[in-house]
Each structure stands twice: as structure tokens, then as C-alpha cells.
């Protein structure tokens, strides 16, 4: 069985700064980039165990649609026919009509959806992955272009995926 924890996450051009330092009496200068039309959204599936362990993800410089979600769910099907369980929250794009109509097709491909109870993000293991990506894997706290932000998020997710793969072998 393959087990994935799935959710979406947004990245703004300026990431939150948890802490900083400066010389005594001086205020730290942290650049800020306004997010207008420069936000990156990610759909991420985290597989903590097994042959497919690691991260699967897709990035968009726009809002994630129901079609994006369905295509991503279909991509999680195992070509060997191993059953795939996807744990996800009750977000609108996870419960939308398009996804509900595709449930028989997903089941035929061996993809089964397990919805968490409402307001229980702590039960979705991918949330911890998002915390690490945002706090530790992004090398800069501010990105002046959408291309730079996309590249940084893609690199951070790939680097974290590689670390998961090597840690578990």
C-alpha cells in the first residue's frame, strides 16, 4: 500500500522572519516584496514510508483549480496496481463536484481518498513538511521576481525530497 498525505501550500515573495539580529541599537532591515501576482501555490503529497517515500509536488503561479487537484490525484496511482491511500483535509478543491464525480475512476486506478475530520490539520503529516520548507529550506526570505520564487520553492521541495529519500534508505 502507498500512503500519501496531501495538501496545498502558498508561498509569498517575502517569507515570514522568525527571528533576526542586528548590532545593539540598530534595527534589522528585512526586505519586503509585495505579493501582487507573484505568489506560488504548491500541491504536495508526502509519502513517509515505502518504495515511493518522499515528496510528489506540482507548482503554479496562480490559484490551484479542481482540475489541477484531480490531475494530481490521478498521478498518484501506482502503475503496478498497488493500492494508494491519500489522506487529505476538507478543502473545497478536495470535495468539489469534479473530484466527487471522478471517485469511481480513482478507485479503479487504486486511488482511495480518506478525508480528515474538520479542523484537524495536526492529523495531516504534510503540514510539518510545509513548516520545514518555509522555515529552513528556502535560502532567502525575500524574492524580487516570480521566477526567483518559483525556482527557490522548486529547489527547496526537491532538496527536502532527496533528504527524505536518503534518510530512509
Amino acid at each position: 500500500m502507498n500512503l500519501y498525505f496531501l495538501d496545498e501550500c502558498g508561498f509569498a515573495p517575502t517569507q515570514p522572519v522568525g527571528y533576526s539580529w542586528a548590532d545593539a541599537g540598530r534595527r534589522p532591515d528585512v526586505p519586503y516584496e509585495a505579493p501582487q501576482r507573484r505568489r506560488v501555490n504548491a500541491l504536495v503529497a508526502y509519502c513517509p514510508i515505502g518504495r515511493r517515500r518522499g515528496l510528489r509536488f506540482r507548482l503554479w503561479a496562480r490559484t490551484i483549480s479542481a482540475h489541477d487537484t484531480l490531475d494530481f490525484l490521478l498521478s498518484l496511482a501506482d502503475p503496478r496496481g498497488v493500492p494508494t491511500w491519500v489522506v487529505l483535509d476538507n478543502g473545497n478543491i478536495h470535495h468539489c463536484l469534479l473530484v466527487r464525480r471522478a471517485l469511481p475512476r480513482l478507485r479503479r486506478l487504486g486511488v482511495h481518498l480518506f478525508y480528515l475530520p474538520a479542523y484537524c490539520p495536526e492529523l495531516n503529516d504534510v503540514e510539518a513538511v510545509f513548516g520545514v520548507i518555509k522555515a529552513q529550506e528556502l535560502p532567502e526570505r525575500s524574492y524580487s521576481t516570480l521566477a526567483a520564487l518559483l525556482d527557490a520553492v522548486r529547489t527547496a521541495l526537491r532538496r527536502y525530497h532527496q533528504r527524505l529519500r536518503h534518510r530512509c534508505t
Side-chain angles (χ1 to χ4, degrees), residues 23-46:
D23 293 330
R26 291 191 62 210
R27 189 174 182 176
D29 181 26
V30 179
Y32 173 77
E33 294 289 336
Q36 289 87 0
R37 294 183 193 88
R38 291 187 299 134
R39 198 170 158 77
V40 172
N41 291 302
L43 198 50
V44 179
Y46 166 53

Side-chain angles (χ1 to χ4, degrees), residues 17-18 25 32 49 51-52 59-60 64 66 68 74 95 101 104 113 118 149:
V17 178
Y32 173 77
I49 57 173
R51 186 180 68 81
R52 300 186 101 190
L59 303 175
W60 294 271
I64 298 171
D68 298 328
L74 290 167
H95 271 290
R101 285 183 176 163
L113 306 183
L149 178 60

